[in-house]
Amino acid sequence: MKVNGTDYRTVWMEGSTVFMVEQNLLPFDFAIYRCMDYECTCEAIKTMIVRGAGAIGAAAGFAMAQAFVQNMKEKSADFLAKAKTDIEATRPTARNLFYAVDRVFNAGLQSVEHAIIEAQQIADEDAQSSRMIGQYGSELIHSGFAIETHCNAGWLAFVDYGTALSPIYTASEQGKEIFVYVDETRPRGQGARLTAWELANENIPHAIIPDNAGAHLMSLGKVDLMIVGADRIAMNGDVANKIGTLEKAIAAHYYGIPFYVAAPLSTFDPDCPAGNEIIIEERNKDEVRMQTGTDEKGNMHSVTVCHPGSKALNPAFDVTPASLITGIITERGIIKADEVEIGRFFG
Ligand code: MRU
């Protein structure tokens, strides 16, 4: 996507250096962060400098390729095994991470060049599948529609275009008039900070809404369609996505509003039969207790926004059962979530 007239991907690798949009600075500042080794790239994934299922996957693939480059002299199998474990430990829920690490690790067993080519290929595939998701998903959007989305499944969450936002971008390119309700997405505010920034960057009309406003707007008939992303999809069609998605799906179901998930096939986990087997990442409780923003001089500060002595819980994802999902928009078309044969559907 273009930022200030220049085309960017969210994450990319040149030589053995990984570059990424520094997402913790958005929407206040647009900066590129660089990592020279796999350890740095791991830390960037952990601290959410790069985040979102597809972008995490691409970054993890690049990190694995960096590890092969770092190991060129020593040729230590132990170093590579440790690097793989380190990368896989960064964020447990995103399926794309494991998918990418496995592919690059296996390619790297042939040669370092193969590892690099495979990592680049994964990033290219991610961008391409996001584009296709936009084509298929845009068919669901009619002019005059108001669409609600949760978290950020835009281009920042993938290598380019995004998933939940890609149909919105395509519909806008097609000249359809649309409006987007952006769930703020506590605790880290990916909606308020990232999705809103992306939509503003593309001149798409939108409003940030509090996380607890969705059902109200649906009850008033103001939402025509909801589209969210996914971090892992089980073979029975259950979907893990950012915490709060489940509540939206329940509300949408109650009010008869179509609820779609947009995700590439790399997010489907053939080894996961049902959503209750998905490991849900628990993040630092300070993400709940504190908020970060800028003052009038543009300096970033974190402040406590709750009773300081109270405990906090911070599950980062929830699982929406397939029965609440109208369909899943993939790069090969839209499928019904409760088609148990999802894995076999695509061969
Ligand atoms: O914790 P994050 O910001 O990495 O969350 C992942 C996500 O981006 C969302 O759950 C998103 O809706 C899924 S699509 C990438």
Side-chain angles (χ1 to χ4, degrees):
M1 303 292 274
K2 279 198 178 3
V3 180
N4 299 327
T6 304
D7 260 316
Y8 285 95
R9 284 185 163 190
T10 303
V11 55
W12 71 95
M13 185 163 83
E14 289 171 22
S16 60
T17 304
V18 177
F19 297 83
M20 55 194 87
V21 175
E22 211 312 7
Q23 300 197 35
N24 288 326
L25 296 183
L26 285 169
F28 311 110
D29 203 2
F30 182 82
I32 303 302
Y33 191 84
R34 67 173 68 192
C35 283
M36 313 294 279
D37 55 33
Y38 93 83
E39 292 90 343
C40 171
T41 307
C42 281
E43 201 53 30
I45 298 172
K46 265 191 223 160
T47 56
M48 295 176 67
I49 289 169
V50 62
R51 49 137 303 278
I56 290 173
F62 288 143
M64 195 69 248
Q66 284 179 308
F68 276 100
V69 173
Q70 287 168 249
N71 195 41
M72 271 166 79
K73 281 200 189 124
E74 298 286 322
K75 295 203 178 357
S76 155
D78 286 350
F79 176 86
L80 290 175
K82 179 176 181 309
K84 185 169 185 284
T85 310
D86 287 348
I87 301 164
E88 288 175 341
T90 52
R91 305 262 335 250
T93 308
R95 156 73 186 151
N96 304 57
L97 183 151
F98 298 87
Y99 167 87
V101 170
D102 279 347
R103 271 182 62 175
V104 177
F105 186 83
N106 291 333
L109 297 178
Q110 289 183 63
S111 73
V112 176
E113 289 71 30
H114 279 84
I116 294 170
I117 290 167
E118 191 71 8
Q120 297 286 10
Q121 173 77 18
I122 289 167
D124 289 346
E125 285 170 10
D126 186 85
Q128 178 59 19
S129 55
S130 290
R131 190 76 175 135
M132 290 311 297
I133 285 169
Q135 300 289 336
Y136 286 114
S138 67
E139 291 167 20
L140 302 169
I141 300 174
H142 302 292
S143 207
F145 260 29
I147 304 140
E148 183 174 343
T149 190
H150 190 71
C151 193
N152 171 263
W155 74 270
L156 290 168
F158 289 83
V159 173
D160 214 344
Y161 306 111
T163 52
L165 295 192
S166 188
I168 291 170
Y169 293 141
T170 306
S172 173
E173 280 166 19
Q174 292 165 346
K176 294 174 186 166
E177 285 190 17
I178 46 179
F179 186 85
V180 183
Y181 290 111
V182 179
D183 293 352
E184 61 176 346
T185 321
R186 282 276 290 147
R188 288 187 66 103
Q190 288 95 329
R193 300 168 78 109
L194 305 177
T195 298
W197 178 83
E198 277 195 34
L199 293 173
N201 196 44
E202 294 298 315
N203 291 315
I204 293 181
H206 64 281
I208 300 165
I209 57 169
D211 282 332
N212 38 16
H216 170 64
L217 292 170
M218 289 179 193
S219 77
L220 298 175
K222 290 191 182 273
V223 179
D224 298 295
L225 171 70
M226 179 135 198
I227 312 180
V228 300
D231 295 274
R232 191 179 289 253
I233 301 178
M235 285 297 100
N236 68 346
D238 292 350
V239 169
N241 193 48
K242 181 54 57 189
I243 192 77
T245 303
L246 172 59
E247 288 182 3
K248 302 297 163 216
I250 293 169
H253 192 253
Y254 184 83
Y255 288 108
I257 293 160
F259 184 96
Y260 282 88
V261 171
L265 296 180
S266 52
T267 303
F268 289 73
D269 184 353
D271 299 324
C272 180
N276 58 5
E277 300 211 359
I278 297 174
I279 297 167
I280 301 294
E281 176 184 7
E282 285 270 350
R283 293 189 59 85
N284 192 320
K285 293 165 183 34
D286 280 347
E287 291 183 352
V288 177
R289 295 183 179 123
M290 308 188 72
Q291 289 280 277
T292 304
T294 55
D295 61 22
E296 63 285 355
K297 291 188 182 139
N299 299 316
M300 291 265 253
H301 297 285
S302 291
V303 294
T304 301
V305 291
C306 65
H307 176 246
S310 294
K311 282 187 183 163
L313 290 175
N314 191 11
F317 301 94
D318 56 28
V319 175
T320 299
S323 57
L324 297 179
I325 299 167
T326 314
I328 304 179
I329 310 163
T330 76
E331 67 270 40
R332 299 222 198 129
I334 302 175
I335 59 170
K336 282 200 187 331
D338 56 7
E339 280 172 350
V340 183
E341 315 253 349
I342 279 174
R344 270 157 281 185
F345 184 89
F346 296 113

